[in-house]
Amino acid sequence: GGSGHEPLFLEFVGKGMADAAAAGAVFTSPGPDLILEATRQVHGGAGVVYIFGNYAGDNMNFDLAAELAAAEGIETRIVRVWDDIASAPPERYDDRRGTAADLFVIKIAGAAAERGMNLDEVHRLACKTRDRCRSLGVALSSCTLPGMKKSIFEIGDDEMMVGMGLHGEPGMERRNLLSADEAAQVMLEPLLKELDLKGGDEVALLVNGYGSTTRLELNIMARAAAFILKERGIALYDGVVGNFCTSLEMAGCSFTLLHLDEELKDLWDDPAWSSGFSKPDTHQ
């Protein structure tokens, strides 16, 4: 995917995670030639799974790279991540943008590959993870593209944008700034509804910062989300807090929920290490 979202994608390369990252310019998809070269470098004879956000440039270039790889005898599978509920209604889920759910998808797919599962099984598990994820965020400020003097959009000090995209795409609504507890409610309620979560269900929660929001503030948001889940009787199996899918120096954060089952829990608990995300072995 494009640069400017670090640690996504480059810093998710590591044990139990991705094997390579094709990095484009800031907010720009990598070209098919670069993707193909990355594919050649990591192909070990079992095929390659492409995981990327659902954006027009990425869709086109990864599709082209897959065709070029096929001509060289390299089998590929494609996983478009489309978790951002602000970008399209449920009936058009495959038009939605890919955001922080990339972390969950890469982690689960990486665990499956690390275990030696075949190409189709890794692809199935990556798609299953994606389809059980939903995300929504709030932005408190815009980012500024390198070399530009103006920010992408303007927002008042007493305002927040619900559902703003990672590249400055319009959100669902502009509204007055809310407290952490109120903002958590605004983000979490639609995710619970879309995933049809009920008492007794288990989830993993990702509280993702957009680049300039402090860990203290992100942990306050995580605390608020945990209280809401507890009130609903939904079990918080695991939580991840930090800057994982950023938009340069944008302020704000997003919530991503992954509806877990036994199969996904088992893979999520596998150890992983990369400079952008690591997980100890929790099977013990």
Side-chain angles (χ1 to χ4, degrees):
S3 299
H5 303 302
E6 290 72 26
L8 188 76
F9 290 91
L10 184 63
E11 294 178 57
F12 290 168
V13 174
K15 181 177 175 60
M17 296 287 286
D19 289 313
V26 173
F27 296 176
T28 305
S29 168
D33 291 343
L34 179 61
I35 299 166
L36 178 62
E37 182 57 30
T39 305
R40 291 173 179 148
Q41 292 294 325
V42 299
H43 177 53
V48 176
V49 177
Y50 292 155
I51 298 171
F52 54 91
N54 188 34
Y55 300 92
D58 294 282
N59 292 339
M60 178 180 67
N61 289 333
F62 277 93
D63 283 349
L64 283 170
E67 293 178 11
L68 294 170
E72 297 185 9
I74 302 175
E75 197 173 358
T76 62
R77 297 288 185 274
I78 284 177
V79 182
R80 295 181 173 90
V81 179
W82 46 51
D83 55 302
D84 181 10
I85 69 170
S87 50
E91 61 271 19
R92 289 176 34 227
Y93 65 89
D94 54 353
D95 287 335
R96 287 176 166 174
R97 302 181 290 241
T99 57
D102 282 306
L103 172 59
F104 284 137
V105 177
I106 291 168
K107 169 63 182 74
I108 298 292
E114 192 74 27
R115 291 186 182 189
M117 296 184 188
N118 66 33
L119 183 66
D120 287 333
E121 191 68 355
V122 174
H123 178 249
R124 178 188 72 81
L125 287 161
C127 290
K128 177 180 177 178
T129 305
R130 172 201 62 196
D131 294 340
R132 294 169 73 95
C133 283
R134 299 291 188 279
S135 299
L136 183 62
V138 295
L140 306 181
S141 73
S142 174
C143 64
T144 305
L145 290 172
M148 303 293 290
K149 295 182 179 179
K150 282 191 64 176
S151 55
I152 292 178
F153 64 92
E154 299 295 331
I155 186 168
D157 292 340
D158 59 347
E159 292 181 318
M160 59 190 284
M161 191 77 77
V162 180
M164 173 60 65
L166 291 173
H167 313 102
E169 302 98 332
M172 295 164 63
E173 60 175 328
R174 185 189 296 257
R175 58 189 301 171
N176 291 334
L177 190 64
L178 299 175
S179 69
D181 289 347
E182 292 168 330
Q185 194 87 29
V186 166
M187 286 192 284
L188 207 55
E189 289 293 343
L191 305 183
L192 298 174
K193 183 178 179 181
E194 281 228 2
L195 288 169
D196 194 26
L197 292 169
K198 301 176 178 64
D201 287 341
E202 291 185 285
V203 298
L205 168 68
L206 169 61
V207 180
N208 171 67
Y210 283 151
S212 68
T213 303
T214 67
R215 285 189 62 86
L216 175 62
E217 292 167 311
L218 294 176
N219 278 302
I220 291 170
M221 295 300 294
R223 174 181 177 274
F227 275 127
I228 295 169
L229 293 172
K230 185 177 181 180
E231 287 175 353
R232 298 298 185 86
I234 297 165
L236 181 55
Y237 182 76
D238 202 358
V240 182
V241 180
N243 290 297
F244 297 103
C245 178
T246 63
S247 181
L248 296 172
E249 85 283 16
M250 184 188 288
C253 72
S254 63
F255 287 167
T256 302
L257 284 181
L258 167 59
H259 184 189
L260 292 163
D261 62 8
E262 291 304 317
E263 181 178 48
L264 295 183
K265 281 166 57 178
D266 189 49
L267 289 161
W268 173 253
D269 285 343
D270 278 6
W273 182 91
S274 68
S275 60
F277 174 80
S278 294
K279 197 172 194 317
D281 190 346
T282 50
H283 282 294
Q284 301 173 3

